[in-house]
């Protein structure tokens, strides 16, 4: 048994001190009120201990002001915590514009990662220190949850849709990665490490991790290889919408409704094209369900996102709501 | 009174034989049937907890295999929640006391009452059958698509068990509502009702409105698992998060199905052992009802990191803060009741005071979890495990045990050994804190829940927790022994051993089959100890008239 164990987790991301801040505040409030109640109960229970067997308590006095104050004061404190907590939460969900996108694919019971340059890793993720990183995550089977205590980072990873989470590591080192959502037999072994490195060490590591095709190039190749080009090209005689500049805009659907074109919408358009048909087009597109791996799908989406001419999009905030 | 004196006819000796119990419609006997059943399920669930804590004493998953461990924590949760915590206080104490407390002969629907026990037992049979065949490994939350497409354990039969237990809970709730509306003794107005009745009334509202959603959810789960109808599984075109919404729409209110009755018990205990009316009686009663109503609107606080929209999260977080207010108010009111009271430190009161402390910690950590930022880090870690054990075990179980110690002399007519009961109350309190406090630290350190094996640096805290569990286990075993013992050898208790206020103390111990020789008339406000003392004084000194 290791006796020099920690009582508080490592703090290794820009977000960690932010979360710890509200946690310490809440902890102080909780400790104060717990001690207050405990002290009051003990004091009163001793002070008013029954004096003789038949004694009864005094009749209660009206306590309207007491009732009001011990409703309003806790409420005010809690509302303060609520606002603070919500702000911290939104910070954790809004990646900065310069965040670099990494892919995470979870499956029973491993984590697969892909770097922007195309390098792949399993259960270990190397990242540069001081660089905001946004993870686009999906699962191949059940729900998992990406959890790095030292970053105070947690986000569920779902099958059939993308969730995103961002962090910026501040301290070089190796940190635990856990799966926090119960996912079957080896749930507790579905862990790994996040290795935070200096920028140049990371570059060196990337170089040593073998040559790889950048994901965006793979996406472009797939776009041709999977014959998306037969329809989605200006010179195609088959009527299909142009995908240039589609990402981030609203698409108008055949039923008149409008949807935001985000990763989840693109995913659905490829896997289940008839679910949402673009206005003015026939539902001619075949489904690609089962023909693309999660990674290929992500690369295709990356390619489509890049089609607006402005290069690979990385850090646009997206809604995680069900599409 | 000597113990060989023949007891007057009461509900226990009115009839003999197994049939007289299994076909009884007497609410008090049905309460005993519940008592036996929930004790059995508690023991079973407790046994699993023992194995879990043993496994977690070392970082490696060495005592049982991962699959076994997953079944253990799943069945521990299923049994403790659906078959112990939800039915315990309403089924045992509620059934026994509601009619007596309101001066009625029985429940409004005595046969429905018996039926609810049978439905509950049928649910228990399904759960037990599943266990005997190898159990279920989805966690008590049955998250999809794991439960519908990946687990190869007995999900359907366990779900049917939960479904049936739910129906039993609906029937009990229905019976309570009608009974409280229709059968109160003359003079017993709503604001003269004991707070225990108020809180079970509020509970009953939740039971009949929320539990059907659980039933629907479990039916949908079974439909997807058995017939591959795509509802939750994305591979079949479903939405896994929809399951979480439906599940928590029931399961958050279910927290109140467990805690509200506990609040009611604590109000009774604090008032009885301070010999004083509960401070802010009306506020405490109204708090129960507002908790019941607001409790329906906060389920999304379990889903902040589930991919739920952050904007929805904001609303759920805000409403969760609001629902904490009436709970806080109750704690303050109980504490204030002690002021100028006549406080005695009997065993039930020890449980009640312990409850106030543990519930305060459980409630405050709940507020921390409802704070969106904090939840990112502690969600699905041992912090959550510690929080809900403080509420479910620290509070609900303490209240149940306190209530059992308080009304045991009424239920059986016998007293348990006082000394041992105080020792066990102390052991439970100390053991509980030792078990679960380290888990808060573990959670913030980052140990996820439902882990069969864990990194070395978490070991010391886990060992502490397992050691505490041993103390806690002993604390629970002692009452089990002396309650049994007291049924035969305990001192006869008399009708009102605590000199407490309330109709249940005005009938004999144990009460006769129809509770009272004649329907009582209520003339005093609830817990009017001073009024009662004055009335007694007037009876003993009838000559002295007031000027
Ligand atoms: Cu997992
Ligand atoms: Cu909840």
């Amino acid at each position: 048994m290791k006796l020099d164990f920690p009582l508080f987790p490592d703090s290794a991301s820009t977000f960690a001190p932010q979360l710890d801040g509200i946690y310490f505040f809440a902890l102080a409030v909780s400790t104060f009120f717990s001690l207050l109640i405990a002290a009051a109960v003990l004091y009163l229970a001793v002070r008013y201990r029954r004096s003789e067997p038949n004694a009864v308590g005094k009749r209660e006095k009206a306590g309207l002001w007491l009732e009001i104050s011990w409703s309003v004061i806790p409420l005010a404190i809690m509302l303060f915590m609520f606002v603070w907590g919500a702000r911290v939460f939104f910070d954790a969900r809004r990646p900065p514009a310069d965040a670099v996108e990494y892919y995470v694919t979870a499956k029973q019971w491993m984590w697969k990662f892909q770097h922007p340059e195309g390098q792949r890793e399993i259960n270990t993720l190397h990242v540069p220190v001081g660089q905001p990183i946004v993870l686009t995550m999906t699962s191949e089977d059940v729900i998992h949850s990406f959890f790095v205590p030292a970053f105070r980072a947690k986000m569920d990873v779902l099958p059939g849709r993308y969730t995103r989470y961002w962090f910026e590591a501040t301290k070089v080192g190796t940190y635990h990665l856990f799966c926090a959502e119960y996912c079957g037999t080896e749930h507790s072994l579905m862990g790994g490490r996040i290795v935070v490195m200096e920028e140049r060490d990371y570059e060196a590591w990337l170089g040593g991790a073998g040559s790889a095709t950048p994901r965006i190039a793979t996406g472009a190749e797939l776009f041709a290889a999977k014959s998306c080009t037969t329809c989605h090209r200006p010179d195609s005689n088959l009527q299909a919408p142009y995908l240039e500049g589609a990402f981030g805009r609203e698409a108008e659907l055949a039923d008149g409704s409008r949807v935001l074109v985000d990763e989840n919408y693109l995913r659905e358009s490829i896997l289940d094209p008839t679910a949402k048909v673009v206005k003015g087009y026939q539902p001619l597109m075949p489904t690609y369900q089962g023909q693309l791996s999660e990674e290929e799908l992500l690369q295709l989406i990356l390619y489509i996102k890049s089609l607006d001419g402005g290069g690979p999009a990385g850090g646009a905030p997206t809604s995680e709501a069900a599409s | 009174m000597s113990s060989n004196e023949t007891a007057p006819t009461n509900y226990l000796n009115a009839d003999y034989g197994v049939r007289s119990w299994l076909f009884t419609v007497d609410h008090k006997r049905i309460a005993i049937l519940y008592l036996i059943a929930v004790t059995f399920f508690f023991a079973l669930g407790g046994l699993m907890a023992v194995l879990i804590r043993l496994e977690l004493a070392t970082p490696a998953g060495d005592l049982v295999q991962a699959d076994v461990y997953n079944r253990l924590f799943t069945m521990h949760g299923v049994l403790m929640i659906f078959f112990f915590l939800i039915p315990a206080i309403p089924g045992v104490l509620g059934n026994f006391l509601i009619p007596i407390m309101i001066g009625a002969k029985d429940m409004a629907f005595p046969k429905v009452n018996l039926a609810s026990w049978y439905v509950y037992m049928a649910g228990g049979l399904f759960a037990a059958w599943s266990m005997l065949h190898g159990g279920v490994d989805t966690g008590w939350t049955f998250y999809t698509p794991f439960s519908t497409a990946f687990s190869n354990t007995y999900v359907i039969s366990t779900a049917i068990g939960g479904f049936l237990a739910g129906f039993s809970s609906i029937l009990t709730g229905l019976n309570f509502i009608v009974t409280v509306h229709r059968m109160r003794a003359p003079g017993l107005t709503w604001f003269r009702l004991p707070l225990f009745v108020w809180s079970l009334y509020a509970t009953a509202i939740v039971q009949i409105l929320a539990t059907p959603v659980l039933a629907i959810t479990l039916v949908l789960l079974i439909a997807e698992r058995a017939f591959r109808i795509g509802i939750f599984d994305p591979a079949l075109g479903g939405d896994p998060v929809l399951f979480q919404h439906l599940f928590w729409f029931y399961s958050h209110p279910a927290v109140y199905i467990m805690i509200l009755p506990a609040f009611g018990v604590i109000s009774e205990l604090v008032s009885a052992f301070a010999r004083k009316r509960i401070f802010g009686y009306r506020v405490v009663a109204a708090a129960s009802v507002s908790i019941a109503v607001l409790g329906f609107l906060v389920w999304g606080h379990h889903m902040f990191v589930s991919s739920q929209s952050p904007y929805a999260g904001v609303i759920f977080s805000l409403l969760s803060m609001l629902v904490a207010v009436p709970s806080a108010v109750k704690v303050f009111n109980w504490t204030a009741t002690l002021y100028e009271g006549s406080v005695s430190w009997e065993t039930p009161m020890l449980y009640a005071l312990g409850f106030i402390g543990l519930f305060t910690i459980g409630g405050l950590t709940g507020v921390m979890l409802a704070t969106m930022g904090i939840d990112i880090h502690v969600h699905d870690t041992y912090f959550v495990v510690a929080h809900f054990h403080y509420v479910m075990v620290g509070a609900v179980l303490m209240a149940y045990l306190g209530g059992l110690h308080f009304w045991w002399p009424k239920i059986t007519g016998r007293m348990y050994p006082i000394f041992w009961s105080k020792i066990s109350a102390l052991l439970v309190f100390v053991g509980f804190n030792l078990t679960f406090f380290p888990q808060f630290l573990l959670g913030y350190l980052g140990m996820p829940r439902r882990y069969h094996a864990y990194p070395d640096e978490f070991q010391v805290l886990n060992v502490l927790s397992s050691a505490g569990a041993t103390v806690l286990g002993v604390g629970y075993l002692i009452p089990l022994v002396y309650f049994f013992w007291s049924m035969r050898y305990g001192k006869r208790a008399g009708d009102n051993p605590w000199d407490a206020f309330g109709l249940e103390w005005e009938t004999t111990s144990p009460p006769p089959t129809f509770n009272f020789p004649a329907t009582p008339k209520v003339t005093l406000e609830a817990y009017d100890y001073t009024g009662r003392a004055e009335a007694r004084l007037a009876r003993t000194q009838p000559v002295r008239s007031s000027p």
Side-chain angles (χ1 to χ4, degrees):
Chain A
M1 213 187 310
K2 244 168 79 181
L3 279 176
D4 56 336
F5 63 99
L7 281 173
F8 200 76
D10 238 331
S11 167
S13 73
T14 50
F15 181 61
Q18 237 181 312
L19 190 138
D20 288 345
I22 171 119
Y23 175 72
F24 282 134
F25 176 77
L27 196 64
V29 168
S30 302
T31 311
F32 172 76
F33 277 102
S34 303
L35 292 179
L36 180 78
I37 301 270
V41 164
L42 281 179
Y43 170 76
L44 294 172
V46 172
R47 166 75 179 72
Y48 294 103
R49 219 172 153 168
R50 187 166 299 165
S51 44
E52 37 125 356
N54 287 328
V56 296
K58 286 227 180 79
R59 198 165 249 152
E60 75 164 331
K61 301 189 185 74
L64 184 65
W65 280 110
L66 273 177
E67 299 283 2
I68 291 176
S69 49
W70 64 47
S71 318
V72 172
I73 295 171
L75 181 64
I77 299 175
M78 286 192 289
L79 288 181
F80 179 69
M81 273 168 60
F82 155 73
V83 174
W84 187 352
R87 292 179 63 137
V88 169
F89 187 86
F90 275 86
D91 282 349
R93 286 298 193 81
R94 287 213 188 98
D98 60 339
V100 177
E101 189 178 24
Y102 286 58
Y103 293 157
V104 180
T105 313
K107 64 178 254 188
Q108 284 177 329
W109 291 277
M110 62 167 79
W111 296 97
K112 297 189 284 189
F113 301 101
Q114 192 177 25
H115 294 251
E117 310 308 322
Q119 290 84 350
R120 296 189 181 82
E121 292 187 81
I122 287 183
N123 291 345
T124 303
L125 175 64
H126 290 78
V127 292
V129 71
Q131 164 68 53
I133 285 171
V134 61
L135 305 170
T136 297
M137 308 188 282
T138 190
S139 161
E140 290 178 9
D141 38 47
V142 301
I143 301 178
H144 303 275
S145 191
F146 180 92
F147 178 31
V148 182
F151 297 167
R152 314 288 185 271
K154 187 181 291 112
M155 185 70 204
D156 282 6
V157 180
L158 284 81
R161 83 173 61 160
Y162 299 118
T163 54
R164 310 182 95 208
Y165 201 86
W166 82 275
F167 63 84
E168 179 184 333
T170 52
K171 220 168 84 184
V172 171
T174 302
Y175 306 102
H176 284 300
L177 160 67
F178 294 124
C179 172
E181 183 64 69
Y182 174 67
C183 58
T185 309
E186 285 179 19
H187 166 58
S188 54
L189 301 180
M190 185 171 161
R193 323 176 280 150
I194 308 286
V195 183
V196 178
M197 310 167 100
E198 291 295 351
E199 180 70 43
R200 55 194 142 73
D201 297 340
Y202 175 70
E203 295 300 336
W205 176 87
L206 275 183
S211 65
T213 329
R215 294 173 312 190
I216 188 140
T218 320
E221 279 163 28
L222 279 167
F223 198 71
K226 298 284 173 183
S227 58
C228 315
T229 36
T230 34
C231 307
H232 291 287
R233 219 174 39 194
D235 56 352
S236 160
N237 46 2
L238 278 157
Q239 271 268 311
Y242 302 132
L243 298 176
E244 279 75 8
F247 187 79
R249 299 217 196 119
E250 280 199 339
E252 200 175 346
L253 301 183
D255 64 4
S257 62
R258 306 180 74 84
V259 293
L260 178 73
V261 178
D262 59 7
E263 288 92 343
N264 278 316
Y265 171 79
L266 291 178
R267 178 191 175 90
E268 192 186 26
S269 295
I270 298 168
L271 295 182
D272 190 6
T274 47
K276 295 197 180 87
V277 176
V278 181
K279 188 174 180 170
Y281 293 92
Q282 294 301 311
L284 294 175
M285 178 166 155
T287 170
Y288 284 85
Q289 185 87 52
Q291 297 176 35
L292 294 163
S293 73
E294 288 294 349
E295 198 177 86
E296 287 173 330
L297 203 49
L298 278 163
Q299 287 160 342
L300 261 178
I301 290 172
L302 183 69
Y303 174 68
I304 297 174
K305 280 163 68 176
S306 74
L307 282 177
D308 60 7
T318 48
S319 104
E320 264 103 18
S323 50
Chain B
M1 269 186 254
S2 76
S3 59
N4 51 12
E5 175 196 0
T6 45
T9 319
N10 59 52
Y11 82 101
L12 288 172
N13 63 15
D15 203 348
Y16 291 97
V18 177
R19 285 177 60 93
S20 79
W21 281 90
L22 290 182
F23 295 108
T24 183
V25 287
D26 183 341
H27 66 101
K28 299 181 287 302
R29 287 190 159 213
I30 295 170
I32 302 291
L33 293 179
Y34 266 108
L35 176 64
I36 296 167
V38 300
T39 309
F40 172 75
F41 287 118
F42 175 73
L44 216 56
L47 202 68
M48 290 168 182
V50 169
L51 291 173
I52 291 171
R53 282 313 330 163
L54 276 177
E55 168 64 68
L56 293 179
T58 55
D62 39 16
L63 181 72
V64 294
Q65 286 175 331
D67 272 329
V68 177
Y69 182 81
N70 294 344
R71 286 160 212 232
L72 283 174
F73 74 69
T74 302
M75 297 308 297
H76 168 72
V78 168
L79 288 177
M80 288 303 201
I81 288 169
F82 294 114
F83 295 97
F84 175 72
L85 288 165
I86 288 179
I89 298 182
V92 180
L93 300 175
N95 262 328
F96 195 94
L97 293 162
I98 295 267
I100 307 185
M101 282 181 162
I102 65 169
K105 286 198 175 83
D106 205 308
M107 284 298 191
F109 309 117
K111 286 180 187 154
V112 172
N113 200 12
L114 180 64
S116 84
W117 184 75
Y118 276 101
V119 174
Y120 163 75
M121 289 308 282
L125 275 181
F126 271 95
W129 184 90
S130 319
M131 275 171 56
L132 287 177
H133 284 74
V136 61
D137 71 346
T138 59
W140 80 281
T141 44
F142 296 107
Y143 269 21
T144 55
F146 181 73
S147 62
T148 54
F150 290 85
S151 169
N152 49 16
T153 55
Y154 288 81
V155 178
I156 293 181
S157 53
T158 311
I160 294 176
F163 178 90
L164 289 172
F167 265 96
S168 154
S169 165
I170 294 174
L171 293 178
T172 306
L174 192 76
N175 222 337
F176 284 168
I177 289 185
V178 179
T179 306
V180 174
H181 270 276
R182 307 291 303 167
M183 303 185 57
R184 280 171 287 128
L188 189 57
T189 58
W190 280 90
F191 283 114
R192 282 179 175 175
L193 285 175
L195 287 165
F196 181 67
V197 178
W198 265 106
S199 69
L200 277 177
Y201 182 82
T203 308
I205 297 175
V206 184
Q207 281 174 307
I208 60 176
L209 292 181
T211 319
V213 180
L214 172 73
I216 294 165
T217 313
L218 292 176
V219 167
L220 294 177
L221 180 105
I222 293 170
E224 180 167 289
R225 188 173 165 91
F227 309 112
R228 313 294 303 138
I229 300 171
I231 302 159
F232 306 123
D233 185 353
L236 301 171
D239 178 356
V241 181
L242 172 65
F243 177 84
Q244 297 176 22
H245 280 292
L246 290 172
F247 181 82
W248 290 114
F249 187 85
Y250 164 76
S251 294
H252 185 82
V255 172
Y256 298 115
I257 296 180
M258 301 179 241
I259 194 76
L260 280 171
F263 288 164
V265 170
I266 297 307
S267 294
E268 296 300 319
L269 299 186
V270 168
S271 146
F273 294 98
R275 293 243 181 94
K276 192 164 164 263
R277 181 177 161 85
I278 281 287
F279 189 86
Y281 167 94
R282 282 180 187 230
V283 177
V284 174
S288 289
V289 179
S290 59
I291 290 173
V293 174
L294 281 173
F296 276 99
L297 306 174
V298 301
W299 76 90
H301 63 207
H302 297 267
M303 300 167 59
F304 290 140
V305 300
S306 70
S307 82
Q308 168 182 263
S309 151
Y311 300 102
V314 166
I315 298 187
F316 285 122
S317 172
L318 179 64
L319 289 167
S320 303
M321 300 292 171
L322 295 188
V323 77
V325 173
S327 306
V329 165
K330 278 182 184 256
V331 170
F332 289 124
N333 276 293
W334 290 321
T335 310
T337 305
L338 301 175
Y339 176 73
E340 294 194 331
S342 163
V343 182
S344 78
W345 295 48
E346 307 282 0
T347 312
M349 188 59 158
L350 294 184
Y351 277 104
L353 298 180
F355 170 102
I356 296 178
L358 300 184
F359 176 71
T360 303
I361 297 179
L364 285 164
T365 50
V367 171
M368 294 169 87
L369 285 165
T371 307
M372 295 172 82
I374 299 176
D375 187 67
I376 295 178
H377 179 58
V378 288
H379 175 73
D380 268 340
T381 66
Y382 262 83
F383 194 93
V384 177
V385 176
H387 154 70
F388 70 72
H389 280 88
Y390 264 80
V391 179
M392 304 284 88
V393 186
V396 180
L397 191 57
M398 290 285 275
Y400 174 67
L401 286 176
L404 218 50
H405 281 89
F406 182 48
W407 285 295
W408 188 257
K410 180 56 61 182
I411 296 172
T412 63
R414 307 272 186 168
M415 203 48 138
Y416 44 83
I418 303 290
F419 172 76
W420 285 108
S421 67
K422 290 194 174 173
I423 295 285
S424 77
L426 202 70
L427 286 181
V428 167
F429 186 81
V430 173
F432 176 85
N433 282 302
L434 199 54
T435 310
F436 293 104
F437 199 82
Q439 296 187 2
F440 282 123
L441 301 173
L442 275 173
Y444 205 76
L445 272 172
M447 176 161 165
R449 64 192 286 202
R450 296 169 170 174
Y451 262 33
H452 167 235
Y454 55 82
D456 287 347
E457 69 255 35
F458 298 151
Q459 188 177 11
V460 176
L461 290 167
N462 270 296
V463 167
L464 274 181
S465 180
S466 295
T470 320
V471 180
L472 188 59
V474 174
Y476 291 146
L477 275 177
I478 298 175
L480 199 66
V481 173
Y482 64 64
F483 276 146
F484 263 113
W485 176 90
S486 76
M487 284 193 272
R488 209 183 162 85
Y489 305 105
K491 269 213 313 264
R492 284 199 189 277
D495 293 347
N496 191 356
W498 318 111
D499 199 16
F501 187 99
L503 285 179
E504 78 268 32
W505 302 109
E506 285 172 29
T507 183
T508 45
S509 298
T513 300
F514 292 110
N515 300 342
F516 300 95
T519 305
K521 258 207 184 64
V522 178
T523 51
L524 290 174
E525 298 304 314
Y527 316 113
D528 189 359
Y529 280 94
T530 14
R532 187 182 73 172
E534 282 159 12
R536 279 181 185 166
L537 209 64
R539 267 204 303 278
T540 47
Q541 296 156 302
V543 262
R544 262 175 56 187
S545 60
S546 49

